[in-house]
Structure formats: C-alpha cells, structure tokens
Amino acid sequence: MTLSRTLGIALRLLLILVISSPFIVTLLVIQTERAVPSSSTLNTTELDVIERLLLDAAPSSTAQVSQQTAELNSGELNLLLRYGLQVLNLAPQWTGEVELEPGLMRLNLSIAMSNNSLPIYLNLQGNLRSAGTQFELGEATVGNLALPQAVTAFIATRLEDNLLAADVGFQDIRDLIANIDSAQINSDSLQLVVNWEPDLIDRLANRTRQLFVPEEDRLRIVAYYNEIGRIVATIPTDLRAVSLNTFLVPLFDHAAEQSAISGNPIAENRTALQALALYVNNEDIEQLVGSDLAAEIEAPPFIEVRLQRRQDLAQHLVSIAAISASAGAGVGELLSTTKEAYDARYRSGFSFSDLTANSVGVTLATYATRDENSALLIQQRLRAIENESDYMPQVGNNRDGLSEADFATLYRDRNSAEYEQRLVDIQALIDSRPIFNGLD
C-alpha cells in the first residue's frame, strides 16, 4: 500500500471520527437509567430532623459576629440535599446523593432530560476533597465520560466567572465559603467551623428569598407594592397603627380585579402576599425584585400594621403566608416551627400565639394558591372581611414565652402526642374561621 493511499485512508477515518464525535460523546453522556434512584416527598419525621439541623447550625445571635460548628453525617447531608432539591422545585426531575470517604465527598446527581416513554438521564458525579480550610474540586464524570481534573477545573473556573458576571448573589456564596475556618471530611461525617457575619447572613437570606420569585412575578410585586402605596395615602396621617384588615380588604379587591384581566388568580394572590409582607415588615423591596426595578419605586410612608393589637402577629402571618405561597406549605410550616424553637432556645421563648399566626398564614397561602377556583374564592372572602376574627383565632390565652426546658416539661418534644394534639386543636380553630370554613 502506497504512502499516499495510507494517508488517504487515515484522513477519511479522521473525518468520520470528527463528524461522528458529537454522536459518540452523546452516547457516552446520555443514559437511560438514573444513577440516583427517585426519592419520596419528605415526611413529617424527616422534616423534624431538618428543623433540628437548621436550629443546631444557626448562631445564637444573628446580630453579632460568631463562630459556629456543624457536624453532619451522610444521612443528614442527603436529607438536606433532598430538601434543597424540593425547595428549588427541581425534584422529582433531579435526584441527588452524597457519599463520604476520608478526605473526600462525592456528589451524585441524576437529571431527567425527557418526560416521554423513552427515559433519558444525565448522570453527574463530582468529587470534593478537603484541603485545609477549603474544598478542592477533583475528578468529575458525566455519564460514562470521565473528565480529567484539568478539564473539570477549567469548567469550574468558567462557570464561576459566568456566575459572578450574572449578579445572582454568587459573590455572597463565595464569601460564605471563604468564612469557613476549618473543613474536615471523615468516613462518616462532614465537620465545618464557620464564621458567621450578620451582614453576610442578611444578604444570603435576601438572595434566598429571590430564588422563589420568578421573573414574571417581579413586575406584579411592583404593581401590588404601588397599590399598597395608594392604600397608605388614604390612611389619616395622625394614626400610628392600623389593623391588618386595612390592607387585606382593598389589596385583595385589587387582586380580584387584576385576576379578571390576567386570568391568573393564583399569581395575583401570590404576589399580593409577597408585596404585603415587604410592607408590613418594613423591608426593602429590592430584596425581591432586584436593584433595577427597585430604583424606579418610591417607597410609601410606613405605618405600623397590627393583628389583635400586636405588630408581631401581623408580621408572622404575612411573612409565612408569603413564603408558603412561593415555596409551598411544607417550607412555610418548617420555617414557622424552626423559628419558634429558635426563640425557645435563644430568645423570648416558644410562643403558641406566634405559631397560631404562622399557621393562619400557611392556611391562607394554601387556599390562595391551591387552584384557580380556590384562589378566586379566597379573594371574594378577603374582600368581605369585617373583623380580624374572620380569619385569626383569639390567642390571648395561649402559653407564650416557654423556654426550651419548660416546653420539654409540658410537651416532651415536638413529636409527642400532647404537642401534636395542640397543633390539631389550633388548626381546628383556624379552619372554623369564616374565611376558611368549608374550603376543604
């Protein structure tokens, strides 16, 4: 065989390889089975574990610089990963799993790429190694295609640059990682010592809230915030505080009118609650809509909003309602009970009054966003509110200010039959309110 013929065959083979390489890579990357099996929705026991983990990891004071140690075993890490995927509405399409080895944490992800009869999955695996106070990204695999560490590092660097340029709060996440004082991966646990900074905590909390606000909701939030400004303009300037009803009635009257135009009462209710929570808590609207939209808004004068003559009850109700409407009732309930447990341990004590207001918020958000008929019915009922008791049970006789020890004496823990019965009784009172009666 002549040299020219040999070169010709080699060139043709190279051409065939180049043309077919995307197909070959696709075959290596795409798979027809999940590497990580599907998991069920988190149950009550698992949510209780997550609540404990969040409580134990939280600093005793968010107003001061402090150092906090966290130790998580593989089961706890996997539980938090499942919770994160559900909160971000990535489950059940995404499933994940964490594996621990001495000095190494392996993250496995399976992403469903097709919902039809032909299952197609993207299975990813990446390794993190502890290196002093930080982690180093090691080898990664996509399907059956192994990526060299140099390629993985290049992709990670490019991704980091893109995230920083996209202004999605990635700098805050980098700052949090930089605040890790020590990191150790053992065969059975991940140990972290983190320096908590109040400003950083606030920025991360704000960014987390923005995760639950789709782009199309932001303009609606601005519109409802402006509507709140018009409501404030009708309140006599000599009033120091008003009932929550002062805002609920006209705001949901407006939501009903907007629903007739948009045809989307669920979105109207969700964004009305988000805007109301911003105002009642005297928060900056930039937290939800970003700096560009916020720069175009003139904040209305603030007036204290109360429920049963208590500002904190109004704040609890609308805050949890906004979170539940955006992220789901499960997240709202988890944050509600975690907050009360945190107060019992570090602050004013466990409050059944606060918990009742939180539960009203969860119930309101559930019916306001459950389906179109329920959303429209809630609008009509809120427009007709006459008294706060139409939706909020009287809480004057509830035990408040229970320390963690006092709570344990009365109820043992939040899995006890006594505590569960107390929650059932509170929810029964809420369900009997005219706003919610007969909606099940």
Side-chain angles (χ1 to χ4, degrees):
M1 183 180 295
T2 65
L3 178 60
S4 60
R5 186 178 178 187
T6 302
L7 288 174
I9 293 173
L11 287 172
R12 284 195 293 273
L13 288 173
L14 181 60
L15 179 61
I16 292 171
L17 180 61
V18 170
I19 293 173
S20 62
S21 59
F23 177 69
I24 294 172
V25 170
T26 300
L27 289 179
L28 288 172
V29 170
I30 301 298
Q31 298 179 311
T32 58
E33 293 184 358
R34 285 186 184 272
V36 182
S38 298
S39 56
S40 59
T41 302
L42 293 167
N43 58 40
T44 302
T45 301
E46 290 170 328
L47 288 172
D48 286 342
V49 173
I50 293 173
E51 178 188 306
R52 176 183 58 78
L53 294 175
L54 295 176
L55 182 62
D56 290 344
S60 58
S61 172
T62 57
Q64 299 177 356
V65 176
S66 61
Q67 192 174 75
Q68 193 74 9
T69 301
E71 181 172 356
L72 302 168
N73 60 40
S74 59
E76 292 167 339
L77 287 168
N78 281 304
L79 197 57
L80 290 171
L81 178 58
R82 283 176 57 200
Y83 175 64
L85 293 176
Q86 291 188 19
V87 165
L88 296 175
N89 293 318
L90 296 175
Q93 286 77 19
W94 291 51
T95 54
E97 185 179 61
V98 173
E99 299 175 358
L100 296 177
E101 298 177 9
L104 175 69
M105 180 168 64
R106 183 175 292 108
L107 174 63
N108 303 301
L109 288 174
S110 292
I111 307 170
M113 307 294 291
S114 171
N115 292 323
N116 55 33
S117 57
L118 178 62
I120 298 177
Y121 298 99
L122 188 63
N123 293 314
L124 311 171
Q125 183 183 93
N127 297 330
L128 285 175
R129 300 182 184 277
S130 57
T133 62
Q134 300 297 314
F135 297 103
E136 289 182 352
L137 183 63
E139 304 81 8
T141 303
V142 184
N144 291 319
L145 181 64
L147 302 179
Q149 187 168 356
V151 174
T152 304
F154 173 76
I155 294 173
T157 300
R158 292 296 300 272
L159 178 61
E160 182 176 338
D161 291 342
N162 289 336
L163 288 171
L164 286 171
D167 187 28
V168 293
F170 186 69
Q171 182 60 55
D172 295 334
I173 297 174
R174 284 214 317 182
D175 290 345
L176 178 62
I177 294 173
N179 278 5
I180 296 176
D181 192 58
S182 66
Q184 183 176 352
I185 305 174
N186 303 313
S187 59
D188 56 354
S189 68
L190 168 65
Q191 296 176 332
L192 296 173
V193 178
V194 182
N195 296 313
W196 290 101
E197 297 179 1
D199 290 344
L200 178 57
I201 293 173
D202 288 342
R203 293 201 305 274
L204 287 169
N206 293 341
R207 292 292 185 177
T208 302
R209 292 180 66 181
Q210 290 183 36
L211 288 174
F212 300 116
V213 182
E215 187 66 34
E216 61 271 18
D217 274 6
R218 297 186 182 187
L219 289 176
R220 281 195 176 98
I221 291 173
V222 170
Y224 280 103
Y225 197 72
N226 288 332
E227 184 64 23
I228 288 172
R230 286 187 281 272
I231 296 170
V232 172
T234 68
I235 299 173
T237 56
D238 60 340
L239 286 180
R240 190 171 68 88
V242 297
S243 167
L244 182 58
N245 291 1
T246 305
F247 289 91
L248 280 177
V249 174
L251 197 62
F252 278 90
D253 184 66
H254 182 70
E257 294 173 355
Q258 290 303 117
S259 297
I261 298 171
S262 68
N264 193 345
I266 293 176
E268 301 295 342
N269 291 348
R270 179 175 64 243
T271 49
L273 289 170
Q274 290 168 329
L276 184 59
L278 285 173
Y279 183 79
V280 171
N281 289 283
N282 198 20
E283 296 174 330
D284 192 338
I285 192 172
E286 182 180 341
Q287 295 179 5
L288 290 190
V289 304
S291 56
D292 292 341
L293 281 176
E296 304 173 3
I297 303 168
E298 183 178 352
F302 178 72
I303 184 169
E304 188 175 301
V305 181
R306 297 177 179 176
L307 181 60
Q308 295 185 8
R309 299 184 179 183
R310 287 175 51 177
Q311 183 184 21
D312 64 320
L313 291 183
Q315 291 173 330
H316 276 280
L317 191 155
V318 297
S319 296
I320 296 299
I323 292 170
S324 300
S326 305
V331 175
E333 290 169 351
L334 176 64
L335 294 179
S336 168
T337 56
T338 302
K339 168 67 167 59
E340 294 313 312
Y342 183 87
D343 285 347
R345 179 175 296 184
Y346 297 120
R347 292 184 177 175
S348 57
F350 191 100
S351 168
F352 279 106
S353 296
D354 294 349
L355 187 62
T356 300
N358 292 337
S359 298
V360 172
V362 171
T363 304
L364 174 60
T366 298
Y367 290 130
T369 59
R370 183 176 63 180
D371 54 54
E372 184 173 324
N373 290 335
S374 180
L376 290 170
L377 184 56
I378 279 291
Q379 287 175 359
Q380 296 304 317
R381 292 190 176 188
L382 288 173
R383 295 169 75 182
I385 287 174
E386 295 182 357
N387 302 297
E388 293 175 349
S389 59
D390 287 348
Y391 55 91
M392 178 70 187
Q394 184 59 239
V395 295
N397 294 325
N398 277 330
R399 289 193 179 97
D400 283 341
L402 289 174
S403 68
E404 197 169 34
D406 289 341
F407 183 93
T409 300
L410 290 170
Y411 296 102
R412 195 170 71 252
D413 58 41
R414 288 187 297 282
N415 291 316
S416 69
E418 294 84 359
Y419 178 72
E420 289 294 330
Q421 186 58 51
R422 187 67 185 274
L423 295 185
V424 169
D425 293 341
I426 290 173
Q427 190 60 50
L429 283 174
I430 295 170
D431 292 339
S432 68
R433 300 298 92 194
I435 292 295
F436 308 121
N437 190 28
L439 288 181
D440 281 333

